[in-house]
Amino acid sequence: MIKALALDIDGTITDKNRRGCISAIDTIYRVEESGIPVIITTGNILCFTNALSIFLATSGGVVAENGGVIEYNGSRNVLGNFEVCLDAYNHLKSEIPVEKVQNSHLRISEIAITRKFPVQTIKEILEDFDVRVYDSKFAIHITDPSVSKGSSVIKVAEKINVKASEILAIGDSENDIEFLQAVGVKVAVSNADQELKDIADYVTNQPHGNGVKEAVEKYIFD
C-alpha cells in the first residue's frame, strides 16, 4: 500500500521549460486530499523548494539540493558537506571557465553550475576529488557523495512514519537513480533518461506532469 508520494520537480512536475504542469498540480492536490503526504524531492535550493511546498500545500516535508538538505515541520538538517564541493568547484574553475547557476549564493550543501561544458568533462577533471557529479538536465551538480535524494527521502519519510517500501517515487533524470532505488515503487516519466527507465518498475506513456498523473492513477487511485 502506498503511504507517501515522493516527486522530483524539474522535468517531472514541470515541462522542459520549467513551467509547472497543471495536471501534476491537480494530482498533488488530489493525493494530499486523500490523506497521502507528498514529499518534494529535488536538486533545487531549499528556499525555492519550501516555497513550492507551501503553494502546493504538500505535507510530507522536502528534500533539496539532491539530498544535501532536508526539512520537515520547520526542522532543517544540512547533510551535505559544502566545503568539499567548494574545493572541487574551485579546482574546476581553475581548469575551465565554468559558471554557477542563478541564485547559487543560496545553496548550502552543494554547488550547481550551468551546462556550458559536457558533464563527462566535469567528471574527468574532478575524478580525484571526493564528490559526485550529476546532470539534472537543468544544471550540473557537484555534491557530497555521502548523501543522495534516495538516502534523504528515507530520512524525511521516517518523520512521517512511512517505510521505504510504502513510497511511490517519480523522477526523470540521472540524479533520480538513487532516489528511485531507495523506495518501494519506482516510476520514470516517459521523458526520463534511459538509465532511469532501466531501473523503473513502470515507465509512463505520457511525459512530465501528465506522466505523474498517469502513475498516480495507476498506483494510488486505481
Side-chain angles (χ1 to χ4, degrees):
M1 181 179 178
I2 301 300
K3 294 186 178 180
L5 171 62
L7 289 174
D8 170 56
I9 298 178
D10 293 315
T12 302
I13 66 171
T14 74
D15 65 16
K16 62 183 179 181
N17 296 314
R18 302 185 82 179
R19 294 178 299 188
C21 299
I22 300 302
S23 54
I25 294 170
D26 285 343
T27 298
I28 289 168
Y29 291 159
R30 286 185 64 201
V31 171
E32 283 282 350
E33 288 167 359
S34 75
I36 295 175
V38 175
I39 306 169
I40 301 296
T41 310
T42 179
N44 267 296
I45 54 178
L46 181 64
C47 59
F48 176 89
T49 310
N50 273 334
L52 183 65
S53 176
I54 291 169
F55 291 137
L56 296 180
T58 62
S59 63
V62 300
V63 174
E65 298 187 22
N66 289 302
V69 56
I70 61 177
E71 187 166 314
Y72 175 72
N73 199 26
S75 178
R76 177 186 306 177
N77 290 312
V78 180
L79 304 172
N81 187 330
F82 182 77
E83 293 303 318
V84 168
C85 301
L86 182 61
D87 286 345
Y89 170 76
N90 287 336
H91 173 74
L92 180 64
K93 194 167 180 63
S94 72
E95 296 288 325
I96 54 176
V98 291
E99 298 176 348
K100 293 181 182 179
V101 299
Q102 188 178 18
N103 297 319
S104 284
H105 65 288
L106 297 172
R107 289 187 180 270
I108 57 179
S109 71
E110 66 156 31
I111 289 176
I113 60 176
T114 62
R115 301 175 79 238
K116 182 178 178 180
F117 296 93
V119 66
Q120 190 56 40
T121 298
I122 308 300
K123 289 179 177 180
E124 289 172 0
I125 293 173
L126 297 181
E127 62 182 355
D128 293 329
F129 286 80
D130 187 24
V131 294
R132 183 96 182 251
V133 178
Y134 293 105
D135 183 359
S136 67
K137 296 189 288 190
F138 293 90
I140 294 174
H141 302 258
I142 302 171
T143 71
D144 180 345
S146 68
V147 298
S148 71
K149 282 186 177 183
S151 60
S152 292
V153 80
I154 298 308
K155 292 181 184 299
V156 172
E158 289 172 353
K159 298 179 182 298
I160 54 176
N161 297 313
V162 171
K163 300 175 183 177
S165 61
E166 299 170 328
I167 302 172
L168 164 62
I170 309 175
D172 78 302
S173 65
E174 177 188 7
N175 62 334
D176 292 321
I177 292 175
E178 290 94 343
F179 172 40
L180 264 63
Q181 288 175 329
V183 305
V185 181
K186 312 163 182 60
V187 172
V189 286
S190 69
N191 56 286
D193 292 341
Q194 187 59 49
E195 55 262 54
L196 198 68
K197 292 180 178 179
D198 289 342
I199 66 165
D201 298 313
Y202 180 69
V203 178
T204 65
N205 296 308
Q206 299 295 318
H208 307 294
N210 288 340
V212 170
K213 179 180 179 180
E214 177 185 335
V216 168
E217 292 286 353
K218 176 179 176 64
Y219 287 104
I220 295 180
F221 295 129
D222 184 28

